[in-house]
Amino acid sequence: MLKDFFLNEVKNGIKKAAACGKLGQMGTDEKFSLIVEKPKNSDFGDFAVNVSSLARSAKIAPPMIAQAIVENLTKENYSVTVVGGFINFKIENSLLAEAVSEILEKKENYGKPENVPVEKILLEYVSANPTGPFHIGHGRWAAMGSALANLLKFYGHEVYQEFYINDAGSQIQKLGNSLKIRIKQELGENIDFPTDEIERKNYYPGEYLIPVAKKYLSEHEPTDDVQVLSDYAKKEMEACQKALLEEFRVHFDNFYSELDLHKSGKVEESYKELMAKGMLYEKEGAMWFKSSEFGDDQDRVIKKADGSNTYLTADIAYHIDKLRRGYDRLINIWGADHHGYVARVKASIEALGYDPNKLEVLLGQLVNLVINGEEVRMGKRKNMVTLDDLIEEVGIDATRYWMEMRNIDMTLDFDIELAKKSTDENPVFYVQYAYARVCSILRNAVNDRVNPETGESVKAPMTQAELDDLINNFDKNIILKTADSAKALILKLEEFKSVIKLSAENRTVYTICRYVQELAAEFHSFYNSNRVICDDKDLMKSRLALMIAIKTTLKNALDILAVSAPERM
């Protein structure tokens, strides 16, 4: 990465300058932290490092520090200027040629870092109740989680994706009672869900159970056995959810049942371990976990006075089970309403002898669905806008991209009308159109065309064999023909490596959305000012190589986002 290159140049310059006594009182073993940034005014350079912070150790003015460092730089393939405490770097075209050459050489591996310490990561997300269709909030976690998994895999980690099925609570019996009513309605009985709001909360009156009732009756005789109906409805809902996840390009490695966790005895086992370690005490007939000793704001009940477990009890067992499966890191995506839960789960991990820092929790805000300028409210217990509805309305690509393009800790306003537009206002269209336009340019370079005025066939500017040779036997020096006009575009292409690194380290995917939009903008700007297919064959080859680099980089980024890269639009 060019940023790393210039940072290392400055660090080496500092060591040499300090060794020569040119940095005042600063010694060679001083610790410091510097960053490489882009100057606000591009006239100053392409990259800059502010060394003013070194004045605390050197006890001399920042301009003197900067000048001393510059005197000890190699200045190979770049020029340097000093403005105050800033060292500004302007790269030469040879570095631009190297950047394009790297993309054409690495192809689908472009952007992947080298020598990354590999972690075995368990990423858990969505983890919805099997009581109905996914709402659009689930869709956000699904899109974000799967894109994050793709990103971390691309970065070099081993990622295992898991869906925790919340199937052990009273909600499953409520589901069975709801199916029972729908079956009776199908049989012609005059019955409906309670109208009292409190009573109604014990049911799922959504219409999605009507086809389930029809299917049940086509396969079985009517029954009043709620357990049978609960099991049937749960199985149908799980199948529906799994099918939609696959359609939505979300591929879990495992669906882990909370009910199976209880049946395995692991919940009781974790409870007994906490007891044996002296981490529990009795108060008011209930058993309390001393979570406040490990950073929680108060102790927590894990077994109620009636002997039943709280939700926390199973969650403790589940997370300990994750760690015992040998993962180096656990990443959970939870809704923001679970923020108070993080400390107590981490406390339980530490109390049972594990490193609580192995658990990372990403807290996500919800989605506001905007239709014709009005926000739509959602819920399973009434008619709702489901993820399935949204995908049907705007498509998988638009749904995924919109879900991913804001940071997870920000509320997302999903504008359906805008997401459907085929204009530059719609960010996913803007990016995909850039990719399709690049593909069109590459096709036009090797395909004969018809002159619209004369109707005569016009020979293609080059053959497919010549284009293949350009790619397979790439001479980086050919980029020098267009380096000056394409500098901003090439620098944006080179930035992809930094974006991948920061995104993986910070667990963000919106940064990749932002990057592809910026890359698309740079491409459109270049295309509007420069003819790619032109009479100068060497210049054309240079620009076609650049098109291939753009195509490769956009494809790699869109693959991480699990958004398609259409060759025609």
Side-chain angles (χ1 to χ4, degrees):
M1 290 181 285
L2 286 175
K3 282 189 174 182
D4 287 349
F5 170 76
F6 287 118
L7 185 59
N8 289 330
E9 285 285 288
V10 172
K11 286 179 177 178
N12 290 332
I14 290 171
K15 287 181 181 178
K16 291 177 183 178
C20 297
K22 299 289 187 180
L23 289 181
Q25 298 179 29
M26 186 172 178
T28 55
D29 57 350
E30 293 278 356
K31 295 191 180 299
F32 55 86
S33 177
L34 299 172
I35 61 170
V36 179
E37 53 193 301
K38 288 195 171 183
K40 292 181 180 178
N41 185 344
S42 60
D43 292 339
F44 288 132
D46 304 306
F47 299 96
V49 178
N50 185 356
V51 297
S52 300
S53 60
L54 303 184
R56 287 192 295 271
S57 301
K59 308 300 182 187
I60 57 177
M64 296 178 64
I65 295 171
Q67 195 58 50
I69 295 169
V70 165
E71 290 172 2
N72 287 276
L73 297 178
T74 63
K75 303 183 187 67
E76 293 181 8
N77 301 318
Y78 64 87
S79 58
V80 185
T81 57
V82 172
V83 179
F86 284 87
I87 301 174
N88 298 311
F89 299 91
K90 183 160 284 194
I91 67 174
E92 294 179 359
N93 288 345
S94 57
L95 286 180
L96 297 177
E98 289 281 359
V100 176
S101 179
E102 181 184 359
I103 300 171
L104 269 65
E105 177 185 342
K106 293 186 175 179
K107 301 180 175 65
E108 69 273 9
N109 292 317
Y110 176 64
K112 291 184 179 181
E114 297 176 357
N115 304 317
V116 171
V118 178
E119 286 191 330
K120 188 179 178 184
I121 298 172
L122 177 58
L123 176 60
E124 181 220 328
Y125 59 102
V126 183
S127 299
N129 294 339
T131 54
F134 291 131
H135 58 62
I136 60 171
H138 293 133
R140 189 178 193 191
W141 311 148
M144 296 285 285
S146 55
L148 179 59
N150 294 338
L151 169 63
L152 294 174
K153 287 178 183 179
F154 188 81
Y155 193 65
H157 295 307
E158 295 178 18
V159 184
Y160 189 81
Q161 300 172 73
E162 189 159 278
F163 184 118
Y164 183 56
I165 307 171
N166 290 278
D167 58 353
S170 61
Q171 69 271 17
I172 303 303
Q173 186 174 17
K174 294 177 185 177
L175 183 66
N177 284 325
S178 303
L179 179 58
K180 182 178 178 180
I181 289 177
R182 288 302 188 191
I183 288 174
K184 288 182 180 295
Q185 288 176 339
E186 287 299 312
L187 294 171
E189 293 188 32
N190 186 19
I191 186 173
D192 205 347
F193 295 96
T195 54
D196 179 77
E197 281 299 317
I198 295 177
E199 262 304 301
R200 199 173 176 84
K201 288 181 179 179
N202 293 319
Y203 296 88
Y204 295 101
E207 294 182 357
Y208 59 86
L209 284 177
I210 295 175
V212 178
K214 291 179 185 293
K215 184 179 179 185
Y216 181 85
L217 289 172
S218 72
E219 299 170 349
H220 307 279
E221 290 297 317
T223 180
D224 287 331
D225 189 329
V226 174
Q227 186 59 55
V228 169
L229 296 176
S230 296
D231 291 343
Y232 184 87
K234 185 183 83 167
K235 182 181 176 182
E236 288 298 309
M237 289 299 100
E238 285 181 3
C240 176
Q241 290 180 351
K242 289 178 181 179
L244 182 56
L245 288 169
E246 283 295 318
E247 180 188 351
F248 199 45
R249 304 169 192 156
V250 180
H251 311 295
F252 283 101
D253 298 295
N254 189 37
F255 288 83
Y256 193 112
S257 165
E258 182 187 356
L259 189 59
D260 289 346
L261 179 68
H262 283 274
K263 289 179 179 178
S264 71
K266 291 176 181 177
V267 177
E268 191 62 26
E269 183 184 324
S270 295
Y271 174 81
K272 289 178 179 178
E273 283 187 53
L274 287 170
M275 178 70 82
K277 289 179 178 289
M279 297 300 165
L280 304 181
Y281 64 92
E282 185 179 352
K283 187 176 77 171
E284 299 172 351
M287 296 304 296
W288 294 69
F289 167 42
K290 299 176 182 178
S291 56
S292 61
E293 294 184 8
F294 302 94
D296 197 3
D297 57 1
Q298 65 182 69
D299 292 345
R300 305 290 174 178
V301 175
I302 67 167
K303 194 175 285 290
K304 302 173 188 176
D306 64 4
S308 62
N309 295 320
T310 63
Y311 287 118
L312 178 60
T313 321
D315 284 337
I316 291 172
Y318 178 46
H319 283 83
I320 295 304
D321 178 70
K322 287 181 180 181
L323 290 165
R324 287 177 178 166
R325 281 186 268 161
Y327 292 99
D328 303 312
R329 190 165 304 280
L330 314 179
I331 302 177
N332 295 351
I333 297 180
W334 288 348
D337 56 335
H338 284 70
H339 68 92
Y341 223 70
V342 179
R344 64 193 79 168
V345 174
K346 284 198 167 194
S348 69
I349 290 172
E350 186 172 2
L352 288 171
Y354 296 90
D355 181 1
N357 293 320
K358 283 191 171 186
L359 172 64
E360 296 178 22
V361 179
L362 307 179
L363 295 172
Q365 294 293 336
L366 296 178
V367 182
N368 293 325
L369 194 61
V370 179
I371 302 176
N372 296 323
E374 294 186 4
E375 185 178 323
V376 178
R377 300 184 64 83
M378 293 152 293
K380 278 199 187 74
R381 293 182 171 85
K382 57 184 177 180
N383 290 335
M384 58 186 289
V385 177
T386 66
L387 175 60
D388 206 4
D389 294 333
L390 184 60
I391 291 173
E392 186 176 350
E393 185 71 18
V394 305
I396 292 174
D397 286 335
T399 302
R400 285 195 63 95
Y401 194 92
W402 273 75
M403 294 294 190
E404 296 164 349
M405 72 179 188
R406 295 285 181 267
N407 198 0
I408 194 169
D409 62 3
M410 294 177 61
T411 299
L412 172 67
D413 289 330
F414 194 117
D415 189 327
I416 283 190
E417 299 308 313
L418 183 55
K420 291 193 294 185
K421 284 187 176 180
S422 297
T423 67
D424 291 353
E425 297 173 86
N426 182 4
V428 65
F429 174 85
Y430 186 67
V431 171
Q432 288 182 317
Y433 183 66
Y435 185 86
R437 179 179 259 184
V438 168
C439 292
S440 174
I441 293 169
L442 293 171
R443 284 195 302 272
N444 290 338
V446 296
N447 289 337
D448 295 344
R449 63 182 180 86
V450 175
N451 187 316
E453 295 180 1
T454 64
E456 296 178 349
S457 176
V458 180
K459 191 173 178 59
M462 64 192 305
T463 65
Q464 184 64 53
E466 287 177 304
L467 183 60
D468 292 342
D469 182 66
L470 173 66
I471 300 169
N472 298 328
N473 300 296
F474 183 66
D475 178 5
K476 64 185 178 183
N477 292 320
I478 200 168
I479 291 297
L480 300 177
K481 288 279 290 185
T482 196
D484 287 334
S485 60
K487 185 174 189 178
L489 178 53
I490 296 173
L491 287 175
K492 182 57 66 175
L493 287 166
E494 199 279 336
E495 189 182 320
F496 183 57
K497 295 181 290 183
S498 298
V499 170
I500 290 295
K501 181 176 186 294
L502 290 173
S503 298
E505 290 175 350
N506 296 325
R507 319 303 196 206
T508 59
V509 294
Y510 80 95
T511 41
I512 297 175
C513 293
R514 184 175 64 191
Y515 171 79
V516 291
Q517 286 174 238
E518 291 172 354
L519 177 57
E522 288 290 352
F523 160 68
H524 289 307
S525 176
F526 175 83
Y527 179 80
N528 291 333
S529 303
N530 300 273
R531 288 183 60 85
V532 176
I533 298 175
C534 54
D535 295 334
D536 185 331
K537 197 155 189 177
D538 284 342
L539 180 60
M540 180 178 67
K541 286 183 176 181
S542 178
R543 290 176 175 168
L544 286 173
L546 190 57
M547 294 302 107
I548 295 165
I550 296 165
K551 179 184 177 184
T552 300
T553 307
L554 279 175
K555 182 69 164 61
N556 290 356
L558 289 172
D559 281 351
I560 290 171
L561 299 174
V563 172
S564 70
E567 297 197 356
R568 299 174 188 270
M569 288 181 74

